[in-house]
PDB file of all heavy atoms in Angstrom:
ATOM      1  N   LYS B  14      -7.100 -13.679  -7.882  1.00  0.00           N
ATOM      2  CA  LYS B  14      -7.466 -15.011  -7.435  1.00  0.00           C
ATOM      3  C   LYS B  14      -8.970 -15.185  -7.649  1.00  0.00           C
ATOM      4  O   LYS B  14      -9.773 -14.506  -7.028  1.00  0.00           O
ATOM      5  CB  LYS B  14      -7.122 -15.144  -5.943  1.00  0.00           C
ATOM      6  CG  LYS B  14      -7.433 -16.496  -5.371  1.00  0.00           C
ATOM      7  CD  LYS B  14      -6.864 -16.631  -3.960  1.00  0.00           C
ATOM      8  CE  LYS B  14      -7.280 -17.922  -3.314  1.00  0.00           C
ATOM      9  NZ  LYS B  14      -8.570 -17.832  -2.621  1.00  0.00           N
ATOM     10  N   SER B  36     -15.073 -25.807   3.618  1.00  0.00           N
ATOM     11  CA  SER B  36     -14.485 -24.561   4.093  1.00  0.00           C
ATOM     12  C   SER B  36     -13.562 -23.998   3.014  1.00  0.00           C
ATOM     13  O   SER B  36     -12.754 -24.722   2.456  1.00  0.00           O
ATOM     14  CB  SER B  36     -13.687 -24.868   5.357  1.00  0.00           C
ATOM     15  OG  SER B  36     -13.259 -23.676   5.922  1.00  0.00           O
ATOM     16  N   GLY B  37     -13.749 -22.729   2.686  1.00  0.00           N
ATOM     17  CA  GLY B  37     -12.904 -22.102   1.677  1.00  0.00           C
ATOM     18  C   GLY B  37     -13.425 -22.254   0.256  1.00  0.00           C
ATOM     19  O   GLY B  37     -12.792 -21.799  -0.688  1.00  0.00           O
ATOM     20  N   LYS B  40     -18.422 -19.935  -0.043  1.00  0.00           N
ATOM     21  CA  LYS B  40     -19.815 -19.714   0.398  1.00  0.00           C
ATOM     22  C   LYS B  40     -20.031 -18.292   0.910  1.00  0.00           C
ATOM     23  O   LYS B  40     -20.977 -17.612   0.510  1.00  0.00           O
ATOM     24  CB  LYS B  40     -20.186 -20.712   1.522  1.00  0.00           C
ATOM     25  CG  LYS B  40     -20.050 -22.161   1.134  1.00  0.00           C
ATOM     26  CD  LYS B  40     -20.516 -23.072   2.274  1.00  0.00           C
ATOM     27  CE  LYS B  40     -19.665 -22.980   3.527  1.00  0.00           C
ATOM     28  NZ  LYS B  40     -18.288 -23.496   3.355  1.00  0.00           N
ATOM     29  N   THR B  41     -19.124 -17.863   1.814  1.00  0.00           N
ATOM     30  CA  THR B  41     -19.295 -16.526   2.392  1.00  0.00           C
ATOM     31  C   THR B  41     -19.161 -15.454   1.317  1.00  0.00           C
ATOM     32  O   THR B  41     -19.952 -14.500   1.276  1.00  0.00           O
ATOM     33  CB  THR B  41     -18.268 -16.296   3.511  1.00  0.00           C
ATOM     34  OG1 THR B  41     -18.472 -17.275   4.522  1.00  0.00           O
ATOM     35  CG2 THR B  41     -18.415 -14.916   4.119  1.00  0.00           C
ATOM     36  N   VAL B  42     -18.192 -15.640   0.433  1.00  0.00           N
ATOM     37  CA  VAL B  42     -18.009 -14.659  -0.642  1.00  0.00           C
ATOM     38  C   VAL B  42     -19.263 -14.612  -1.517  1.00  0.00           C
ATOM     39  O   VAL B  42     -19.732 -13.533  -1.901  1.00  0.00           O
ATOM     40  CB  VAL B  42     -16.756 -14.981  -1.482  1.00  0.00           C
ATOM     41  CG1 VAL B  42     -16.650 -14.064  -2.681  1.00  0.00           C
ATOM     42  CG2 VAL B  42     -15.499 -14.874  -0.623  1.00  0.00           C
TER      43      VAL B  42
HETATM   44  N1  ATP C   1     -11.651 -10.215   1.414  1.00  0.00           N
HETATM   45  C1  ATP C   1     -10.987 -11.202   0.790  1.00  0.00           C
HETATM   46  N2  ATP C   1      -9.846 -10.948   0.122  1.00  0.00           N
HETATM   47  C2  ATP C   1      -9.176 -11.921  -0.528  1.00  0.00           C
HETATM   48  N3  ATP C   1      -9.559 -13.215  -0.550  1.00  0.00           N
HETATM   49  C3  ATP C   1     -10.688 -13.553   0.089  1.00  0.00           C
HETATM   50  C4  ATP C   1     -11.451 -12.563   0.803  1.00  0.00           C
HETATM   51  N4  ATP C   1     -12.521 -13.189   1.361  1.00  0.00           N
HETATM   52  C5  ATP C   1     -12.399 -14.492   1.007  1.00  0.00           C
HETATM   53  N5  ATP C   1     -11.314 -14.728   0.255  1.00  0.00           N
HETATM   54  C6  ATP C   1     -10.898 -16.018  -0.321  1.00  0.00           C
HETATM   55  O1  ATP C   1     -11.996 -16.601  -0.945  1.00  0.00           O
HETATM   56  C7  ATP C   1     -12.044 -18.005  -0.728  1.00  0.00           C
HETATM   57  C8  ATP C   1     -13.407 -18.412  -0.242  1.00  0.00           C
HETATM   58  O2  ATP C   1     -13.605 -17.909   1.076  1.00  0.00           O
HETATM   59  P1  ATP C   1     -14.986 -18.002   1.824  1.00  0.00           P
HETATM   60  O3  ATP C   1     -14.851 -17.188   3.067  1.00  0.00           O
HETATM   61  O4  ATP C   1     -16.085 -17.657   0.918  1.00  0.00           O
HETATM   62  O5  ATP C   1     -15.064 -19.532   2.212  1.00  0.00           O
HETATM   63  P2  ATP C   1     -16.280 -20.289   2.926  1.00  0.00           P
HETATM   64  O6  ATP C   1     -16.799 -21.259   1.960  1.00  0.00           O
HETATM   65  O7  ATP C   1     -17.216 -19.313   3.499  1.00  0.00           O
HETATM   66  O8  ATP C   1     -15.494 -21.051   4.071  1.00  0.00           O
HETATM   67  P3  ATP C   1     -15.957 -21.329   5.598  1.00  0.00           P
HETATM   68  O9  ATP C   1     -16.856 -22.505   5.534  1.00  0.00           O
HETATM   69  O10 ATP C   1     -14.656 -21.655   6.253  1.00  0.00           O
HETATM   70  O11 ATP C   1     -16.578 -20.092   6.134  1.00  0.00           O
HETATM   71  C9  ATP C   1     -10.939 -18.305   0.240  1.00  0.00           C
HETATM   72  O12 ATP C   1      -9.886 -18.928  -0.482  1.00  0.00           O
HETATM   73  C10 ATP C   1     -10.483 -16.984   0.769  1.00  0.00           C
HETATM   74  O13 ATP C   1      -9.100 -16.978   0.952  1.00  0.00           O
END
Side-chain angles (χ1 to χ4, degrees):
Chain B
K14 181 171 175 273
S36 188
K40 302 183 295 293
T41 300
V42 174

